[in-house]
């Protein structure tokens, strides 16, 4: 079964309307959150820690950069960057405690 292709929106003259622009993304904030989650998992499971090393430090650095980008992008990715910072700091604490 094929999915139907959406028909472009037309104006009163019949000309195709451009698609609306996508909102900006904060890739550094997303990457910081992913690194933080992986770092916490690696901190809890020693077998995984051998393969990943300490991803907590890059997660913290990416989160700080992601927060700066969020300020420039009018708040896009602020929550992801904050969660990335929290998970990075938590992972660092777990790695230092074990």
């Amino acid at each position: 079964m094929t999915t139907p292709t959406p028909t472009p929106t037309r104006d009163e003259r019949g000309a195709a309307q451009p698609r609306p622009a996508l909102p900006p993304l904060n890739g550094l904030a997303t990457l910081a959150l992913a690194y933080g989650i992986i770092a916490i998992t690696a901190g809890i499971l020693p077998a995984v820690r051998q393969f990943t090393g300490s991803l907590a430090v890059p997660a913290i650095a990416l989160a700080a950069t992601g927060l700066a980008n969020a300020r420039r992008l009018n708040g896009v990715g602020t929550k992801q960057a904050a969660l990335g910072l929290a998970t990075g700091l938590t992972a660092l604490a777990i790695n230092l405690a074990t």
Side-chain angles (χ1 to χ4, degrees), residues 8-70:
T9 315
R10 305 264 178 201
D11 63 2
E12 61 274 352
R13 298 177 308 175
Q17 294 287 330
R19 291 186 177 178
L22 294 174
L25 299 175
N26 193 342
L28 291 175
T30 305
L31 195 59
L33 181 58
Y35 271 32
I37 292 171
I38 294 170
I40 286 178
T41 305
I44 293 172
L45 303 172
V48 178
R49 192 180 318 143
Q50 293 177 356
F51 298 110
T52 60
S54 178
L55 290 177
V57 176
I60 293 169
L62 287 169
T65 310
L67 281 171
N69 277 352

